[in-house]
Amino acid sequence: MAMSAVQALVLIDHHHAQVFQFDAEKVQSRKKVESHTHDTGQHGSGVRTEHEFFGEVCDALAGVGEVLVTGSHTAQSDFRHYIDKHRHALTKQIAGWETVDHPTEGQLVALGRKYFAEHVREGAAKPLPG
């Protein structure tokens, strides 16, 4: 039986992102996205290309029905700004934003399952209009 709406959790900072797709029983897939640096002759140093990094994170969410974004407040804010400005269509997939501080993979998956279980219950508990 195929899942109609895949759920995912993203843990993001300004250098790395981890994308976990999961169901109630197990993690279906894990993907890591790393930021890149480019040398610039102008400054003689590496410049992180945040837009490319955030774009790759968005690409990793293709086909996901609902996404919970986690990480530091600053990283989430910057990622949200990028989505609002450059990948607006993705906003309808974002179910929520949660600030977390260095959780383990198990803690992340548990947070995601709990969040989506409550999110689904709240959505199902709404009365019918009329």
Side-chain angles (χ1 to χ4, degrees), residues 40-55:
T40 61
Q42 187 177 27
H43 299 288
S45 64
V47 175
R48 186 181 43 203
T49 56
E50 191 170 80
H51 280 215
E52 288 179 17
F53 170 58
F54 287 159

Side-chain angles (χ1 to χ4, degrees), residues 37-107:
T37 58
H38 294 283
D39 288 332
T40 61
Q42 187 177 27
H43 299 288
S45 64
V47 175
R48 186 181 43 203
T49 56
E50 191 170 80
H51 280 215
E52 288 179 17
F53 170 58
F54 287 159
E56 286 183 42
V57 175
C58 291
D59 291 345
L61 298 173
V64 173
E66 293 182 299
V67 179
L68 175 61
V69 181
T70 66
S72 72
H73 177 74
T74 304
Q76 289 180 74
S77 178
D78 292 346
F79 186 52
R80 183 184 295 207
H81 178 75
Y82 174 83
I83 290 170
D84 289 345
K85 189 169 183 177
H86 301 283
R87 298 283 187 105
H88 189 73
L90 187 62
T91 58
K92 65 182 178 240
Q93 291 170 247
I94 306 294
W97 303 82
E98 292 283 330
T99 301
V100 298
D101 186 30
H102 306 298
T104 65
E105 181 177 317
Q107 289 170 327

Side-chain angles (χ1 to χ4, degrees), residues 13 27 34 57 117 124:
D13 64 26
V27 174
E34 302 285 332
V57 175

